[in-house]
Amino acid sequence: MTTYVWDYLPEYQNERQDILDAVEKVFSSGQLVLGGSVKGFEEDFAAYHGLRHCVGVDNGTNAIVLGLQALGVGPGDEVITVSNTAAPTIVAIDSVGATPVFVDVRKDDYLMDTDHVAAAITDKTACLLPVHLYGQCVEMAPLRALADRHGLAIFEDCAQAHGARHHGTIAGTMGKAAAFSFYPTKVLGAYGDGGATVTDDDETAANLRRLRYYGMEKTYYVVQTPGHNSRLDEVHAEILCRKLTRLDAYIAGRRAVADRYAEALGDTELVLPAVTEGNEHVYYVYVVRHPRRDEIIEALKAYDIHLNISYPWPVHTMTGFAHLGYTRGQFPVTEELADEIFSLPMYPALSTERQEQVINALREVLSRL
């Protein structure tokens, strides 16, 4: 039986009737774009975070693009973030005409090293963009202090951190606004692309709603400021409405899988995920480290286990961002991690039996290194 890092089919089998009911509800509603399901999901998702506004968009990348634009970030501005992230984070910054400025990450939790942020701030800095990576949050107190001191916006990338908490505060509520992705692999995933930007600020929310709808506000024919066609689909919204009621259960399932890995692999040479003090990890992915990572991944294919790497190429080394002027060696922790990290299978419906097969195969491979 082939095992991948992620598989939606077990979950679909468990929730099939509810998913099909959601599709039937939308198709029978008479409104397929920006209807009751989008409105209902936006209200529920905002309430889950204790915020007043959620604006559903077509994908997580555009949740960042529109969020940055709604905050007034654009050409000539700099946005401080990390290179150890999915490329869409940086693509979004580039898309609004701003310049991404990278800092290195910490070796223990792979998150933004906030000790490096102050030195990266210039008179062009407009925004700090922490990426809550792999399922846990960046240390936020130093960022908030810097933002207050320099008059900067904080915009959280929460694509991998649905439901994660930092000293009791839920991800997405620690800045001016935050972006979420609902790509199918996510902790809260749709059955296709989807995203949302959340905020407690009325003006930012009004900007977001205009931006996702061509720049229009009250009528289809009047553009107030050029925007996008970037609306969350009704079907995905209805599915997300239903799955949101199960989000805490999904998180509990992921933590159970993580606990089994920790118990079974704690005595191996793998470096297992470290949970930073004050964080409540939701384990979007279960990232481990080993200096012979590539050999391990290749050897596991003989057991029909296929793993992946998040992420093998730091963004600052990609040819598409060569214009930023970064070179190898500038972010040593990020580059070291890229050579050693890989992800084990992680999703709530991963059976104990299949996980044990992965663990046993992994231990056998490690014993032969």
Side-chain angles (χ1 to χ4, degrees), residues 197-241:
T197 308
V198 299
T199 182
D200 221 25
D201 183 71
D202 293 342
E203 181 181 0
T204 302
N207 290 341
L208 285 164
R209 292 193 176 94
R210 281 193 297 270
L211 286 165
R212 76 163 175 193
Y213 193 57
Y214 309 109
M216 302 172 185
E217 185 171 351
K218 294 183 179 179
T219 174
Y220 179 77
Y221 297 103
V222 180
V223 172
Q224 295 188 327
T225 181
H228 308 263
N229 177 9
S230 183
R231 300 166 296 207
L232 179 62
D233 183 270
E234 275 286 293
V235 171
H236 295 317
E238 183 60 34
I239 291 172
L240 288 166
C241 275

Side-chain angles (χ1 to χ4, degrees), residues 280-300:
E280 297 176 34
H281 207 311
V282 297
Y283 296 100
Y284 165 60
V285 283
Y286 193 87
V287 175
V288 299
R289 289 180 60 192
H290 195 284
R292 298 173 70 177
R293 181 265 314 279
D294 294 344
E295 295 175 61
I296 294 169
I297 290 178
E298 186 62 31
L300 286 171

Side-chain angles (χ1 to χ4, degrees), residues 292-307 309 342 365 368-369:
R292 298 173 70 177
R293 181 265 314 279
D294 294 344
E295 295 175 61
I296 294 169
I297 290 178
E298 186 62 31
L300 286 171
K301 292 178 182 177
Y303 298 85
D304 210 9
I305 297 169
H306 301 269
L307 306 184
I309 304 167
F342 62 107
V365 168
R368 298 199 297 267
L369 292 180

